[in-house]
Amino acid sequence: TCTRSVVRTETGVNAVKFEVSHLPSAPIWEYQLQQPVAAELKANDILELRFSARSVSGLSVRALVNSGQPDYRELLSRTIKLGPNWQE
């Protein structure tokens, strides 16, 4: 089961909180957080992807930026192994 809620951090920033009670059996893309980019990106533009995450049970997450078009071409992909402490 995966639940999602918006919470306020200790520093006063709104954040999205995911709580997963067991590993999903559904396709992995059914559990995702998306943020469309409002402007069209051109060659040599810089796009920064930043988030904080942790996992008490040591799960990994995959950070991915794709074209957003029907081909969903990957532009950036990285798998991050999480631990119990917050990582950025």
Side-chain angles (χ1 to χ4, degrees):
T1 305
C2 180
T3 58
R4 182 181 69 159
S5 58
V6 176
V7 298
R8 187 171 289 282
T9 67
E10 296 87 18
T11 59
V13 175
N14 286 338
V16 177
K17 179 181 180 180
F18 283 92
E19 292 185 82
V20 180
S21 60
H22 67 277
L23 292 176
S25 58
I28 195 65
W29 59 84
E30 289 193 14
Y31 301 93
Q32 58 183 295
L33 179 62
Q34 299 180 28
Q35 179 61 50
V37 177
E40 182 178 335
L41 296 176
K42 299 177 212 70
N44 300 318
D45 281 353
I46 296 172
L47 178 66
E48 181 178 4
L49 172 64
R50 180 185 288 190
F51 64 95
S52 298
R54 68 179 178 167
S55 171
V56 175
S57 57
L59 296 176
S60 294
V61 295
R62 183 173 175 218
L64 170 72
V65 176
N66 70 30
S67 65
Q69 302 299 319
D71 67 350
Y72 300 106
R73 181 174 34 93
E74 289 187 13
L75 305 174
L76 169 81
S77 177
R78 182 172 175 200
T79 299
I80 302 134
K81 174 76 171 160
L82 301 176
N85 298 319
W86 286 102
Q87 296 173 230
E88 182 176 313

